[in-house]
Every structure is written in structure tokens, then in C-alpha cells.
Amino acid sequence: MAEILPLFNSDTSCEDEGLHHVSKPKKPRTNRTADFHLKKMDILTGLTYTEGNCGVPIIMASEIEAIPTSMIAFSKAVSSKNFNQIVHFYEADRSFARIMHNPQKYAEILARFEYVISPDFSQHLDMPPFLCMQNSWWNNAFGAYWQSLGINVIPKVSCPARTAMNMPSLVYQNVVSSQSIAPP
């Protein structure tokens, strides 16, 4: 007959066959989802929001004197020593998703650079509209948060082709980084 092995980490004893299994003490879990959520919520206090149910955080116009001539992706910026650059997020979401989990830590890194373009969490045409709206909201939230810390933020504007986005919070005669998402 086949031997039945325990499936869970619990103390089990198989004295009949001379086996004894004792589970290892569990390590306390850190970086739980709730902890991530609370860290993100801390960055939302003190921001200015648009009117309406969703209240999108507003990125104010930035005083831009001389735009640096080079840009660097966030994934490379975290280890860069050349701070006279613009940090951008035009790369795969997985390359910068860590800002969601520890926004304060990465704000300190971004503060070293001349300018930072607000994040670019994906808004694909095949994504559910809610996820596109959520990603757009977080793009603005991080930009507004960094700006509240004194970081020079260039707002990123993205408008998926399938939606008619109303962008009343754009400031005219302001530098923005834009992106258009259209079907191939």
C-alpha cells in the first residue's frame, strides 16, 4: 500500500515506520499586501484632486528652465550616478512596479535627478476600462506625490484611442510628455 505523506507543515509522527517530521517554525511575513496598501495611502495625503467621484490627483505646472538632453529609464536610473537626466517610465510595467510597493524609497532616488516624467503604467487597448482608469489614476498620483516632495515632474499624458478622455486638468503652455495608444 502507498505511504500517505503529510501535505501541510504540521507536526506529524510516523512512529510505526521510524519516521518523525517536525515542521520548521514559520518566519513572520513581511511586505504583506496590506502593508503595501498602507504605504501607498500615506502618499495621498496633502495632494490636490479634481472634482468628481474619482478625484484624480493633479500635477501642477512645473518651472522648466533648461531641459536636459538625455533621458534614462527608471530601471537604470536607480543605479545611475549621472543625475543631469530626465527619468522616464517608458518601459515594461514590471521594470518599475516596485514604486507601488515602496514609494518613499524610490522618491528619494528620483529626487536626485533634474526632472522625472510621471509614471506610465500600461493602458492597453485590450485591458478592461476600469484597469486603464486605475493605472491612469496611479500615474497622476505618483507624479503629484513626487511634486509635493519638490521633485520636478513633467506630466505624462496618455489617451487610449478607444476612449474619449476629458483632460480638464491640463495646464496650457506647460511641458508634457505625451503618448498615444492606437490599434496597429
Side-chain angles (χ1 to χ4, degrees):
M1 185 184 262
E3 181 180 352
I4 298 175
L5 296 175
L7 297 176
F8 303 102
N9 289 337
S10 60
D11 290 344
T12 27
S13 178
C14 300
E15 309 258 334
D16 306 351
E17 300 167 30
L19 299 174
H20 184 72
H21 171 74
V22 178
S23 64
K24 295 178 185 176
K26 292 184 179 180
K27 290 190 241 178
R29 283 183 56 188
T30 58
N31 297 333
R32 290 186 172 169
T33 302
D35 295 337
F36 293 149
H37 181 69
L38 292 175
K39 284 184 180 179
K40 287 190 291 189
M41 297 310 290
D42 288 346
I43 73 169
L44 302 177
T45 56
L47 302 181
T48 305
Y49 296 87
T50 60
E51 299 283 327
N53 292 339
C54 293
V56 178
I58 298 173
I59 301 173
M60 308 305 264
S62 295
E63 296 281 331
I64 297 180
E65 295 157 11
I67 297 178
T69 57
S70 64
M71 296 176 70
I72 186 169
F74 171 80
S75 60
K76 293 183 179 169
V78 293
S79 61
S80 176
K81 302 294 184 215
N82 179 6
F83 304 123
N84 188 25
Q85 300 182 76
I86 300 173
V87 178
H88 69 82
F89 294 85
Y90 297 124
E91 55 186 338
D93 289 6
R94 69 179 173 272
S95 299
F96 62 89
R98 54 188 145 170
I99 66 171
M100 292 287 276
H101 304 300
N102 199 342
Q104 294 86 354
K105 173 184 174 181
Y106 293 104
E108 291 173 17
I109 292 169
L110 294 172
R112 300 175 193 158
F113 290 87
E114 292 287 322
Y115 298 97
V116 176
I117 295 174
S118 58
D120 182 41
F121 287 107
S122 295
Q123 299 175 45
H124 298 291
L125 294 172
D126 59 346
M127 288 175 71
F130 171 76
L131 291 179
C132 289
M133 290 174 18
Q134 180 181 1
N135 285 351
S136 178
W137 194 93
W138 278 111
N139 290 341
N140 277 32
F142 280 104
Y145 167 64
W146 294 332
Q147 199 171 54
S148 75
L149 298 175
I151 297 172
N152 293 318
V153 175
I154 298 173
K156 185 216 50 99
V157 180
S158 179
C159 184
R162 69 178 174 163
T163 60
M165 303 277 294
N166 182 9
M167 298 183 199
S169 61
L170 286 181
V171 179
Y172 293 102
Q173 298 180 354
N174 187 25
V175 175
V176 296
S177 174
S178 66
Q179 176 183 15
S180 175
I181 303 168

